[in-house]
């Protein structure tokens, strides 16, 4: 029973993990497990201690909020950086694809032009043979 540690020390009260120490009234009470935070009529948050004597619930809530907020902000920044990096990569890939397409078109034109030259040369050779100018 936690009440037996009332008017003793915080350390003695908190040896039992089911106990809550109220520093303002120097009471040791059962922790209300059905609720996350102890109700104000039981003990004020700034006076309530659970687990360790040097951290009160008020400071714990503030510290957890700051840490949680910092983690959320860092995740948001990481997501933004990843999205920017991804969009830059896609933008940089765009011109490369265009360059590749243009190079393929140039190569096709060059091949067609060589085929036409060869065809014209063969026609000219045929005409020269026909008229005996070769």
């Amino acid at each position: 029973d936690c009440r037996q540690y009332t008017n003793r020390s915080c350390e003695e009260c908190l040896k039992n993990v089911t106990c809550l120490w109220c520093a303002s009234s120097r009471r040791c009470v059962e922790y209300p497990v059905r609720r996350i935070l102890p109700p104000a009529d039981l003990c004020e948050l700034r006076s309530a201690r659970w687990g360790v004597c040097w951290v009160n619930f008020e400071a714990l809530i503030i510290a957890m909020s700051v840490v949680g907020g910092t983690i959320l902000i860092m995740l948001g920044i990481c997501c933004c950086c990843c999205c920017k990096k991804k969009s830059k990569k896609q933008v940089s890939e765009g011109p490369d694809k265009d360059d590749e397409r243009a190079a393929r078109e140039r190569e096709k034109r060059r091949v067609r032009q060589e085929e036409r030259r060869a065809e014209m040369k063969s026609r000219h050779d045929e005409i020269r043979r026909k008229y005996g100018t070769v």
Side-chain angles (χ1 to χ4, degrees):
D1 187 27
C2 294
R3 288 186 215 141
Q4 67 184 357
Y5 298 109
T6 297
N7 290 325
R8 291 192 186 173
S9 70
C10 175
E11 288 80 14
E12 287 182 53
C13 174
L14 296 184
K15 284 181 183 175
N16 185 346
V17 293
T18 62
C19 295
L20 173 81
W21 176 256
C22 187
S24 60
S25 63
R26 297 189 50 83
R27 289 188 308 154
C28 187
V29 293
E30 292 284 327
Y31 187 86
V33 291
R34 294 185 191 268
R35 302 182 70 175
I36 295 172
L37 299 174
D41 60 333
L42 183 65
C43 188
E44 294 179 341
L45 287 180
R46 72 173 65 104
S47 297
R49 308 287 194 272
W50 181 70
V52 289
C53 293
W54 52 272
V55 177
N56 63 34
F57 269 92
E58 198 172 55
L60 185 65
I61 291 169
I62 292 170
M64 288 177 64
S65 299
V66 169
V67 170
T70 304
I71 289 171
L72 287 175
I73 290 170
M74 289 173 60
L75 283 173
I77 290 171
C78 288
C79 289
C80 288
C81 289
C82 289
C83 290
K84 276 188 173 184
K85 193 179 281 187
K86 190 173 184 179
S87 67
K88 280 184 181 180
K89 189 176 181 181
Q90 287 176 349
V91 168
S92 67
E93 285 177 1
D96 290 343
K97 289 180 180 180
D98 291 340
D99 291 344
E100 288 175 16
R101 188 180 313 122
R104 283 194 302 269
E105 290 294 323
R106 280 194 302 269
E107 184 63 24
K108 284 180 183 178
R109 281 194 296 266
R110 188 186 63 75
V111 168
R112 274 189 259 136
Q113 189 176 17
E114 285 180 15
E115 288 172 356
R116 280 193 221 118
R117 278 190 190 140
E119 188 179 315
M120 290 297 288
K121 186 176 188 273
S122 69
R123 274 192 206 159
H124 289 140
D125 289 346
E126 193 176 307
I127 291 171
R128 285 186 191 115
R129 266 187 250 123
K130 183 177 178 181
Y131 294 106
T133 57
V134 179

